[in-house]
Each structure stands twice: as C-alpha cells, then as structure tokens.
Amino acid sequence: MTSLSHPGIDSTRMQPPGSHLIKFSFDQVLPVVSHGAGVFVYDTDGRRYLDGCSGAVNANLGHADPDVLRAMADQAARITFAHRGTFHSEHAERLADRLSELTGYPYVFLCNSGSEAVEAALKLVTQYWRERGEPDRGRFLSHRIGYHGSTVGALSLSGHPLRRWAADPLLHDFNTLTPPYSYRYADGRDDTAFTEFLLDDAAARLDDRSGTLAGVVVEPVGGAAGGAITPPDGYLAGLARLCRERGVPLVTDEVMTGLGRTGRVLAAEHWDIRPDLVVLGKGLGAGYVPTSAVLASREIVEAIGAGTRAVTNGHTHGGYPLSCVTSLAVLDVIESRGLVAAAARLGVRLRAGLEELAGRHEIIGEVRGKGLLQGLELVRDRDSRAPGDPLGSLTRALVTSAQEHGLLIYPATGGVNDAVLVAPPLISSPGEIDLLLELLDASLTSMKACSST
Ligand SMILES: Cc1ncc(COP(=O)(O)O)c(C=O)c1O
C-alpha cells in the first residue's frame, strides 16, 4: 500500500480485486472500451456496438468526428485554458453569439455539466427575485417524475428515486407537480381532459404559498427518469401561461432534448413556448468536452443589470477556450449537415420501426417521444401495465440482451417504471436506423426466450 492509503482499510475487500476506482455498480462486469467511429463503438476484444443511445444521449454527432477533432487539436495547440475572471475570451463571446442566433435568447451563461447548468438556472432565478426585493422566493416546482442532475439543487427537482436515495437528507422536495405521463397518470381521461387535470393541479400548487415560489423547472420531453415521457399537446403551453399570469419564471431543462435531438433546435418549439430560461448540456459538447449553458431572457438578466450587476456563481472550467471552440465546431457540424432536420426525418423512420416492433413484442407497453429521442416502456402484462418484478428487471434484461447483440440502448427506469431510451446519433444514416431496429428486434426476441425458460 502507498502512503496515501487510509490505514486499516483494505481496499481489495471493498471492491473487486485490483481496482481502486469507485464504479456505478461494484459488481457489474462491463466490456472495456477501445475506440469509436461514427455510430459505432468498439471494445478491446474487437466487438462492435451500434450506439443506439449516443452514449448517454450526448454524443449527438457520433464518435471521432474529424471536423470537431481538428478544431480541438488546433485550439489545444494554442491554449486550452484561461480563466474568465482573468481574460476576456473571444471564444466564449463567439459561442454566446452563436447560441443566441440559433435560439433567439439574448444572453448565455456557460458551465460544464448539465447539473451545474441547472444549478446556475436556479441561482439566476433566486437572484432575479432578490434583485427585485423579494428574497424569500426560494421554492421551485418540478414534475414528480423527472431528472435534472445529481447536484443538490438539481436532485431536489428530480423525481428519480434511485438517484435521490443516498442524498436524501440534503434534498428539498420540489418535485410535486403531477407528471404529464398519460400512460400511468391519465386514468382513462383523453388528452384534453388529462391536460385540464394537469393544469388545475399545477395552478393549485403554484398558488399554494405563492409568496415563496421562485420558479418552475420542467423537461419538455422527459429523459432519464421514466423514458421519453411526452406531454399531451396543450400541457406545456398551458403551464407557460400559468407561470406568466403569476409572474413566475419558467425554466425548461433541455440538457437532453436541446440542439436538435427532438427534430427542433429546442424541444419547446414543438409547442411554441418561450420559457424564461433554457438549460443546455449534453449535445453542446456532444461527448467531446463536458460543457453546458443557460440561455436567459432579457427580463431576467436586466433585473440583475439594474441591480448588483454581477453574477457570483461560477466554476473553474466554465466557458474555457477549448470547450467553447469545441462547441462552436459541434454547432458548425449540426448546421452545415442539416442535423436538426435529419433528426426529425430519421425520427419518423425510427418511430415507425419501434411501433412495428411493439406490434410483435408484447413486452412493449408504449412507444413515445419526439424525433430521435424515443422511449419504450416495458411491461410484464399489457392489460395491467405491470412493470418488471422487481422494478427495473425488464430494463436490465433488455439493455443486457441488446449489448449481447451489439446494440447500446439507455436504461431510463429511474426507479419509477421499466423503460429504455432509443436515441441514436443525429448523423445516423437511414440504413443505420434500420440496423438498430433489426438488432433491437433480435434483442427483444432473445430476451423473451430468456424469460420463458
Ligand atoms: C434533462 C437532464 N438534465 C440534467 C442532467 C444532468 O446532466 P449532467 O449529467 O451532465 O450533469 C441530465 C442528465 O442525464 C438530464 O437528462
């Protein structure tokens, strides 16, 4: 043992022998990654995997894009890091200009991860109220089922029992809005009646202790908790109206959905809403660098401009040159190759294929989602809609079966149901979408064979 080891602790008894790394699951045996190219990832045994979930729904350009790698190498040779407290950065300015042109939001704050950007959005909202002389507004509302990240503020918004468990004593219970999850919460209502029910519930919660309410944070299409939960059509516009009527900022968390994933630049565009703040993450760095951003409306930033004129929140690497140049290269690829429109087009093909699979595989209870963010809810029994027993077991079985067939899909149970995300890179060809569907079909078939033995 080296002198850095804690005396008396035998690390080999805590984890599998030979590893000093704390892993997600101590007992899981995983393949060792070697390299990636386009929509494929390879392990060190030479096995090829079709990346049907873009890593963690972030590698939207696939792997090893030559244009992005070239931009990164050029910038790395100049300078990788300069602190934004010391130097003005033309790269950060250019990235903010570009995001502003693309989305119409006038202001951009840069961070490193989705969780950090969610925290930054919460703090911009609480600062907005403080600048306006209402310092008691510190309470947020979010959906009972949802995921916004693993830091304390973000987890307080998240209805993701698995992620909340260890941190529970630190967390607030902001996640109280009824989720727009028709499959399990509509209770026989049609979309119109369910929307009305959801909005009545939201209005009551917005008005309860309204003097302390700071803002509302939602995913326009759910991701990691529940699996692409897609609201009924009138819901988000109705929620935006309720917030506007009460002067409460609405924040949409587009860490997973943003920058083309759903077939629009922002998923909010599907329902013509314009939230006060938008959080971007995953697709902004696309797996090449960890980076994220908050897009902010004029009203929020002008309240700060008319007050303290300073934002004290920040992280060492927020907006550093290498990350900004990489994001600019990612945005170039998205725009020059028309990837937003491609996601809409390929999404139609993927959805049709998934619906066809649902027609043949009883285990698929529902197919839902937008563009290239599709989810499958898995059930033991279609009539009762019973999830796996134990919860999560169907998800694990399908993800494992897919991996054995050389296909990567994303577990999205979140401890609330059994579900997976199917979210291939935006650069996929139609043939690669068809290959994904073929591999998924085989994975579902052998999973059935498994469960019937
Ligand atoms: C909607 C949403 N928000 C926030 C996050 C947190 O992002 P990160 O893991 O980069 O901190 C995630 C991650 O899955 C997410 O899906």
Side-chain angles (χ1 to χ4, degrees):
M1 275 196 188
T2 69
S3 57
L4 286 177
S5 299
H6 192 284
I9 294 182
D10 176 359
S11 61
T12 60
R13 289 221 316 267
M14 293 162 59
Q15 288 214 77
S19 177
H20 296 276
L21 182 67
I22 300 175
K23 302 184 178 67
F24 260 177
S25 169
F26 287 13
D27 301 321
Q28 204 170 11
V29 179
L30 297 172
V32 180
V33 70
S34 165
H35 61 282
V39 297
F40 295 102
V41 178
Y42 298 81
D43 71 18
T44 49
D45 290 332
R47 275 178 56 93
R48 187 183 86 163
Y49 304 85
L50 177 65
D51 192 349
C53 53
S54 309
V57 200
N58 61 329
N60 290 355
L61 310 184
H63 303 276
D65 183 282
D67 293 340
V68 178
L69 295 183
R70 200 170 311 112
M72 292 178 77
D74 289 350
Q75 181 57 38
R78 286 195 190 93
I79 188 162
T80 52
F81 181 81
H83 191 242
R84 61 181 153 184
T86 313
F87 288 102
H88 190 66
S89 159
E90 79 171 92
H91 313 97
E93 291 287 350
R94 268 176 37 221
L95 179 56
D97 289 350
R98 191 69 178 279
L99 285 171
S100 179
E101 275 162 31
L102 200 57
T103 63
Y105 280 85
Y107 298 106
V108 178
F109 184 77
L110 296 170
C111 311
N112 306 296
S113 66
S115 305
E116 281 178 12
V118 168
E119 298 288 331
L122 298 184
K123 289 181 194 167
L124 281 170
V125 171
T126 50
Q127 181 169 355
Y128 164 78
W129 286 116
R130 296 193 144 235
E131 303 281 8
R132 293 178 45 139
E134 296 198 52
D136 292 337
R137 289 188 182 262
R139 195 168 58 92
F140 287 84
L141 287 174
S142 57
H143 290 140
R144 207 169 306 146
I145 295 176
Y147 184 61
H148 298 280
S150 57
T151 49
V152 168
L155 261 187
S156 292
L157 298 165
S158 298
H160 188 305
L162 295 181
R163 289 284 169 98
R164 286 182 74 104
W165 179 79
D168 197 62
L170 297 170
L171 304 180
H172 294 283
D173 286 320
F174 291 148
N175 56 314
T176 54
L177 292 176
T178 302
Y181 180 10
S182 311
Y183 189 67
R184 296 212 176 267
Y185 284 77
D187 225 0
R189 299 174 182 90
D190 65 14
D191 272 5
T192 310
F194 184 45
T195 302
E196 209 171 294
F197 167 80
L198 290 168
L199 293 175
D200 285 348
D201 174 75
R205 291 177 197 280
L206 279 155
D207 291 336
D208 177 37
R209 295 188 291 143
S210 61
T212 60
L213 185 64
V216 174
V217 185
V218 296
E219 293 168 279
V221 179
I229 291 172
T230 309
D233 268 342
Y235 173 67
L236 284 175
L239 185 64
R241 178 176 42 77
L242 293 178
C243 290
R244 202 167 46 246
E245 286 167 359
R246 289 157 180 79
V248 170
L250 174 66
V251 182
T252 46
D253 179 347
E254 297 232 22
V255 166
M256 192 178 278
T257 54
L259 300 177
R261 168 58 58 191
T262 69
R264 300 287 175 92
V265 173
L266 299 178
E269 294 167 24
H270 288 288
W271 298 281
D272 280 332
I273 62 161
R274 191 139 190 90
D276 301 279
L277 296 162
V278 179
V279 186
L280 298 176
K282 296 177 181 272
L284 183 59
Y288 294 93
V289 283
T291 188
S292 60
V294 183
L295 309 176
S297 67
R298 197 167 296 288
E299 189 182 353
I300 299 283
V301 177
E302 284 183 355
I304 299 171
T308 59
R309 301 190 59 74
V311 171
T312 52
N313 181 38
H315 302 274
T316 299
H317 289 91
Y320 73 103
L322 183 61
S323 76
C324 292
V325 167
T326 307
S327 292
L328 283 163
V330 166
L331 294 176
D332 279 345
V333 172
I334 292 173
E335 287 194 89
S336 65
R337 296 189 213 160
L339 295 185
V340 181
R345 222 172 30 245
L346 292 165
V348 172
R349 191 180 191 98
L350 176 63
R351 177 60 172 260
L354 294 173
E355 300 277 7
E356 193 276 325
L357 291 180
R360 290 188 288 111
H361 295 278
E362 283 283 312
I363 195 174
I364 300 176
E366 189 179 54
V367 182
R368 54 182 177 243
K370 289 272 183 202
L372 285 181
L373 180 62
Q374 296 291 326
L376 301 180
E377 174 137 2
L378 307 175
V379 288
R380 256 181 303 141
D381 175 70
R382 273 199 181 165
D383 292 332
S384 68
R385 302 187 174 181
D389 181 18
L391 197 63
S393 54
L394 296 178
T395 307
R396 271 191 299 280
L398 182 56
V399 169
T400 305
S401 173
Q403 196 150 341
E404 284 162 6
H405 284 85
L407 172 67
L408 307 176
I409 52 176
Y410 199 69
T413 142
V416 297
N417 61 5
D418 267 288
V420 296
L421 291 176
V422 182
L426 278 49
I427 55 148
S428 303
S429 67
E432 286 161 345
I433 297 293
D434 295 344
L435 175 60
L436 184 162
L437 291 162
E438 253 171 62
L439 295 171
L440 188 56
D441 191 9
S443 313
L444 286 157
T445 302
S446 56
M447 180 194 172
K448 261 195 309 204
C450 248
S451 55
S452 62
T453 52

